[in-house]
Amino acid sequence: MSITVSTVQPMSVHVGAASQDPSLGGVAGWAVDVMETIGAPGAGLLVGLENLFPPLPSEVILPLAGFTASRGDFTLFEAIFWTTLGSILGAWALYGIGAWLGRERMYKVVKVVPLVDVEDVEKVEAWFNRHGYKAVFFGRMIPIFRSLISIPAGIERMHIWRFLLLTTAGSLIWNTIFVLAGFYLGENWHLVEGYAGIFQKIVIVVVVLVFVAYVVSKVRKNRSGSQ
């Protein structure tokens, strides 16, 4: 008597990228899990949190958003859109906190917040006072300054729409570069972090050159006016 044995197919279980790739541990593994669970809005949520908690590195989160998009969890456009929206909302929240608390109360709060140094806030405020609106735009591309620059903008009650416009422009440039890098590098997304410092130094040099050009133009204008 012939006996037919049917093959039982195992139940399909979705395994996230973080669990498939042992190199994705710590913050990286957690970030990918969030993006795979929530989708592209999860990338925006992580970037928004990065604005509120600077120790969360955007140099890791943004390439990971591109890497996750390359796996087909969401599109490249969605990755850029949601991470930029997260940057804007996070910056807006800090702007509101700065405007609400004011300088003295803000420094009292910073003193008791872990992982945030008062000296960093002081440096960012001094940079804002020197460069004004340009600080908001270029500050979105410099570590620590990227998050904290929103605080002095709120304290000084910078025009909210101008603040949002400059924040959007700076964030869009920064996010697009790192998301694209993570998208095209794929499994080698971690290489992006090594070049982040170089890009940040380029931004700082550009800021200095713009400031010098502004000062030189002012000096020349004053000299021509006095003659």
Side-chain angles (χ1 to χ4, degrees), residues 31 34-35 38-51 61-62 65 74 78-90 175:
V34 171
M35 294 180 206
I38 306 177
L45 174 63
L46 291 172
V47 174
L49 290 174
E50 180 264 332
N51 278 263
I61 295 173
L62 292 173
F74 41 80
E78 287 176 318
I80 295 173
F81 172 81
W82 283 102
T83 54
T84 302
L85 181 60
S87 296
I88 296 169
L89 294 177
N175 293 1

Side-chain angles (χ1 to χ4, degrees), residues 167-185:
T167 296
T168 301
S171 299
L172 182 60
I173 293 172
W174 176 265
N175 293 1
T176 299
I177 289 173
F178 282 84
V179 169
L180 284 175
F183 183 85
Y184 288 110
L185 284 173

Side-chain angles (χ1 to χ4, degrees), residues 11 62-63 65 78-79 94 112 115 120 148 151 161 164 172 180 193 196 225:
M11 184 180 295
L62 292 173
E78 287 176 318
L94 285 178
V112 299
L115 303 178
D120 290 333
L148 300 181
I151 295 176
W161 291 113
L164 291 176
L172 182 60
L180 284 175
E193 192 175 2

